[in-house]
């Protein structure tokens, strides 16, 4: 029986994780579940999964959850980052699913790394913001890092594993990172000024949280994933080719020196990579419909349009700068939140990131405090630009 901590249990990744775990009650038990403020959803999760601990973001939400669970005293409810840090070191936790969205997930993911857990990483913003510090913490803590982001999970599946259980990059010539292109693929930039949050969140293939849905629409997600692949597989950006594949069936590919290209195919359903991470190196049923390759009919590939979607080009630049992706990710979070609030336009998102990257003094953050300071500075700068743009639109 593996003890699992599901961080971001109420979210899209959290729900998919709990769904897979529920199919294998003899293998997995939720020891810790966490969320920010979704008390109702958390109460339902606690009733179904009976975790030992439930952690909310704030004391008020924790106290509301406690009130909802008076008849379930075996679930200990707590609040805040300190409580979560402590719980993640519990010896009965083997696996930590990093499913919190954004920079907020960095601190608990680093705690899990320090405690030497197996980390199923969905929260790419944590890795790309902290970069070297994140990878160093994983190494020092003796943690195992398994990507569940579908593309990186596909890469992991297409690579041999070395004696230490890590992906073996010998003889790899190129990683081919696929992108769906999002809901606005094929559209010119001029036509994107007036798109709404609902349109941006209507992803053609995947059902995901709002923030990553917008990131997919702007291609900022592919920029984050480029940096994620560089860290996970010790590559430089020129060793990674980005290809738009609108069907989202090929989740990424590895090209070897002999010309062979290995790909992982599957339904666009996050339960596949999550099940792979939970069971690795074994495989388990994920509850995913079998892929009907004949019904899929065709697989298309095309180059990304960097003019219509400048976020990807901005990320490609930021990756080459020390601390650049920390500032990129922070500015993107601020801009996406402002867009989802109806304050700025879709095409303002890349403006906010661009202006922030130009204004913030970048340097490689060597400690968690330094990462947090850079994140905060970038957020302040990004917020000032978002506020100015919102005012220019009369918001
Ligand atoms: P969701 O918005 O669906 O869920 C986010 C989760 O994080 C919720 O449980 C939320 O709690 C919690 N949360 C949000 N803010 C905080 C905070 N400040 N402190 C603690 N917890 C917080 O996101 P997704 O599941 O879509 O994405 C999660 C991560 O996984 C992201 O980094 C995303 O990029 C990555 N990812 C997601 C994929 C997907 O298919 N969804 C695919 C690949 C990667 P509450 O409900 O209380 O707000
Ligand atoms: Mg992905």
């Amino acid at each position: 029986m593996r003890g699992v901590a599901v961080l971001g249990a109420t979210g899209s990744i959290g729900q998919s994780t709990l769904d897979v775990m529920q199919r294998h009650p003899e293998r997995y038990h939720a020891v810790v579940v966490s969320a920010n403020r979704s008390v109702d959803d958390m109460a339902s999760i606690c009733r179904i999964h009976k975790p030992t601990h439930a952690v909310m973001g704030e004391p008020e939400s924790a106290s509301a959850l406690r009130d909802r669970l008076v008849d379930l005293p075996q679930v200990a409810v707590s609040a805040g980052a300190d409580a979560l840090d402590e719980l993640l070191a519990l010896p009965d936790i083997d696996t930590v699913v990093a499913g919190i969205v954004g920079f907020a997930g960095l601190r608990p993911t680093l705690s899990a790394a320090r405690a030497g857990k197996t980390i199923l990483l969905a929260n790419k913003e944590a890795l790309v913001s902290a970069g070297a510090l994140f990878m160093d913490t994983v190494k020092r803590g003796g943690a195992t890092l398994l990507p569940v982001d579908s593309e990186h999970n596909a890469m992991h599946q297409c690579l041999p594993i070395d004696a230490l259980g890590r992906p073996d990059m010998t003889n790899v010539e190129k990683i081919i990172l696929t992108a769906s292109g999002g809901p606005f693929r094929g559209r010119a930039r001029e036509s994107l000024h007036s798109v709404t949050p609902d349109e941006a969140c209507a992803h053609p293939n995947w059902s995901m949280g709002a923030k990553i849905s917008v990131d997919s629409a702007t291609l900022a997600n592919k920029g984050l994933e480029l940096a994620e692949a560089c860290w996970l597989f010790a590559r430089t950006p020129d060793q990674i080719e980005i290809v738009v594949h609108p069907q989202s069936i090929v989740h990424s590919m590895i090209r070897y020196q002999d010309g062979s290209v290995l790909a992982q195919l599957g339904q666009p359903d996050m339960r596949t990579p999550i099940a792979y991470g939970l069971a690795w190196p074994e495989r388990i049923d994920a509850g995913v419909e079998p892929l009907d390759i004949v019904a899929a009919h065709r697989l298309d590939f095309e180059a990304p349009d960097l003019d219509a979607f400048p976020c990807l080009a901005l990320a490609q630049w930021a990756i080459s700068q020390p601390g650049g992706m920390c500032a990129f990710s922070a500015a993107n979070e601020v801009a996406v939140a402002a867009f989802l609030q109806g304050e700025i336009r879709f095409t303002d998102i890349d403006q906010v990131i661009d202006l922030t990257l130009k204004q913030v003094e970048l340097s490689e953050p060597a400690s968690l405090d330094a990462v947090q300071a850079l994140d905060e500075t970038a957020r302040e700068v990004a917020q000032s630009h978002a506020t100015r743009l919102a005012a220019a639109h009369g918001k």
Side-chain angles (χ1 to χ4, degrees):
M1 177 69 84
R2 287 182 82 85
V4 182
V6 185
L7 309 183
T10 51
S12 166
I13 290 291
Q15 288 297 294
S16 293
T17 303
L18 292 167
D19 180 283
V20 176
M21 287 171 60
Q22 210 175 359
R23 292 166 192 276
H24 304 278
E26 73 298 344
R27 292 182 75 122
Y28 307 108
H29 165 61
V31 180
V32 173
V33 292
S34 92
N36 194 24
R37 280 195 280 245
S38 301
V39 173
D40 289 350
D41 290 347
M42 211 35 172
S44 316
I45 288 169
C46 290
R47 287 192 187 285
I48 298 167
H49 296 277
K50 305 204 168 45
T52 320
H53 300 273
V55 186
M56 300 302 294
E58 306 290 336
E60 303 74 48
S61 307
S63 125
L65 181 63
R66 240 175 251 120
D67 291 346
R68 300 285 301 274
L69 298 177
V70 276
D71 58 327
L72 216 61
Q74 66 265 46
V75 182
V77 179
S78 51
D82 289 345
L84 195 53
D85 280 349
E86 221 168 282
L87 289 172
L88 290 177
L90 286 175
D92 51 345
I93 295 176
D94 307 287
T95 300
V96 176
V97 179
I100 293 175
V101 60
F103 189 80
L106 174 61
R107 191 173 145 183
T109 309
L110 287 180
S111 299
R114 250 179 250 114
K117 307 298 184 186
T118 295
I119 300 170
L120 269 54
L121 185 74
N123 181 206
K124 63 195 96 185
E125 299 94 333
L127 171 57
V128 309
S129 298
L133 174 76
F134 187 110
M135 295 308 287
D136 190 50
T137 310
V138 167
K139 200 170 163 194
R140 280 170 195 263
T144 303
L145 190 56
L146 295 172
V148 301
D149 204 351
S150 59
E151 296 80 359
H152 307 73
N153 184 268
M155 296 164 197
H156 196 276
Q157 296 202 35
C158 294
L159 287 163
I161 297 301
D162 70 14
L164 296 171
R166 292 180 312 216
D168 181 354
M169 302 307 291
T170 323
N171 303 322
V172 169
E173 195 187 63
K174 207 131 206 172
I175 289 178
I176 302 169
L177 168 63
T178 55
S180 69
F184 307 132
R185 183 181 60 87
R187 287 183 52 173
R189 184 172 169 79
E190 302 74 60
S191 77
L192 296 176
H193 296 310
S194 57
V195 298
T196 65
D198 281 350
E199 288 170 321
C201 287
H203 196 281
N205 308 327
W206 297 94
S207 158
M208 309 181 286
K211 193 256 174 185
I212 183 175
S213 297
V214 177
D215 288 351
S216 298
T218 59
L219 292 199
N221 184 51
K222 221 38 64 178
L224 295 169
E225 291 187 352
L226 176 63
E228 182 184 12
C230 288
W231 288 115
L232 287 173
F233 302 108
R235 299 287 96 175
T236 50
D238 60 306
Q239 295 171 311
I240 301 173
E241 181 181 347
I242 298 174
V243 174
V244 173
H245 165 51
Q247 290 89 358
S248 298
I249 287 176
V250 175
H251 297 303
S252 276
M253 301 176 250
I254 304 287
R255 190 165 83 221
Y256 289 88
Q257 279 169 349
D258 64 0
S260 294
V261 178
L262 299 193
Q264 186 261 351
L265 281 69
Q267 297 278 12
D269 186 325
M270 286 308 290
R271 289 177 301 175
T272 294
I274 289 167
Y276 175 87
L278 284 172
W280 186 82
E282 295 168 30
R283 291 202 185 247
I284 52 168
D285 173 29
V288 174
E289 285 289 303
L291 174 66
D292 183 342
I293 198 77
V294 174
H297 190 55
R298 55 183 285 175
L299 304 174
D300 295 300
F301 299 94
E302 62 196 41
D305 181 349
L306 300 186
D307 295 328
F309 304 102
C311 284
L312 179 53
L314 288 169
Q316 284 168 329
W317 179 82
I319 288 171
S320 66
Q321 306 299 311
M325 282 309 285
C326 180
F328 174 96
S329 187
N332 181 53
E333 272 193 53
V334 168
V336 170
F339 169 67
L340 286 170
Q341 292 292 317
E343 290 162 8
I344 64 169
R345 292 178 180 171
F346 183 78
T347 45
D348 290 336
I349 296 174
D350 56 78
Q351 295 288 313
V352 169
I353 298 172
D354 190 13
L355 292 165
T356 304
L357 286 173
K358 283 184 177 131
Q359 196 172 327
V360 171
E361 204 174 306
L362 297 171
S363 64
E364 186 63 38
S367 64
L368 180 56
D369 283 349
V371 178
Q372 282 168 335
L374 178 53
D375 170 82
E376 205 170 306
T377 306
R379 270 168 207 275
E380 280 166 16
V381 172
Q383 191 56 61
S384 69
H385 290 297
T387 305
R388 186 178 47 73
L389 287 162
H393 304 319
K395 303 278 173 165

